Amino acid sequence: MKIIVTSIFVDDQDKALEFYTEKLGFVKKHDVPAGEFRWITLVSAEEQDGTELLLEPNNHPAAKEYQQRLLADGIPATMFGVADIQKEYERLIAKGVTFTMEPTKMGEVTIAVFDDTCGNLIQILQQ
């Protein structure tokens, strides 16, 4: 058994698609109608056959509340791995991404946290 798709709630699918592809560099894999929304998945440019990230609409009240509470408490919704966190931090800053935590050493890892503009904090991690 393996993870093939994981999701993140977003408050605007179009805005999320733009942010995750143009700012973060993910590649769109699927974008198909699914009722009033779309099934939009992204993959890493470095691993296009890897795990897909679904941009899940937060239209359900429980999903919206969950997302808002995580954001209010400063809890990242998910984590992405990077090879060089300082380089990635500087690249994202140059693209206008807002960080709530600069790269910070925590034991054997270094983490940073940014706002995805779609209702989430995202943590990046270098091991």
Side-chain angles (χ1 to χ4, degrees):
M1 188 177 303
K2 63 182 180 176
I3 299 169
I4 58 170
V5 177
T6 188
S7 64
I8 187 165
F9 291 115
V10 297
D11 55 18
D12 182 318
Q13 285 186 302
D14 289 320
K15 185 177 175 184
L17 179 59
E18 180 180 341
F19 182 86
Y20 281 78
T21 56
E22 294 183 18
K23 304 278 186 184
L24 302 186
F26 287 107
V27 176
K28 180 172 61 173
K29 183 144 186 178
H30 299 288
D31 186 351
V32 296
E36 65 179 286
F37 298 103
R38 293 162 25 220
W39 177 266
I40 303 172
T41 64
L42 310 171
V43 292
S44 168
E46 300 163 7
E47 202 173 308
Q48 294 191 28
D49 290 325
T51 304
E52 297 176 38
L53 178 66
L54 173 64
L55 301 178
E56 183 81 38
N58 73 350
N59 67 315
H60 188 282
K64 187 174 291 228
E65 182 177 351
Y66 170 77
Q67 182 187 34
Q68 290 171 344
R69 286 183 177 225
L70 286 179
L71 183 64
D73 288 347
I75 300 170
T78 195
M79 178 187 320
F80 301 136
V82 297
D84 183 333
I85 199 165
Q86 189 62 40
K87 184 177 176 182
E88 193 65 20
Y89 172 77
E90 290 168 9
R91 183 185 78 81
L92 293 174
I93 287 287
K95 289 184 167 279
V97 174
T98 302
F99 278 78
T100 60
M101 176 192 282
E102 296 179 359
T104 304
K105 187 87 169 149
M106 301 256 181
E108 296 182 14
V109 301
T110 303
I111 64 171
V113 179
F114 63 85
D115 184 333
D116 79 350
T117 73
C118 303
N120 303 293
L121 295 177
I122 305 296
Q123 181 171 293
I124 55 176
L125 174 135
Q126 176 185 331
Q127 293 182 313

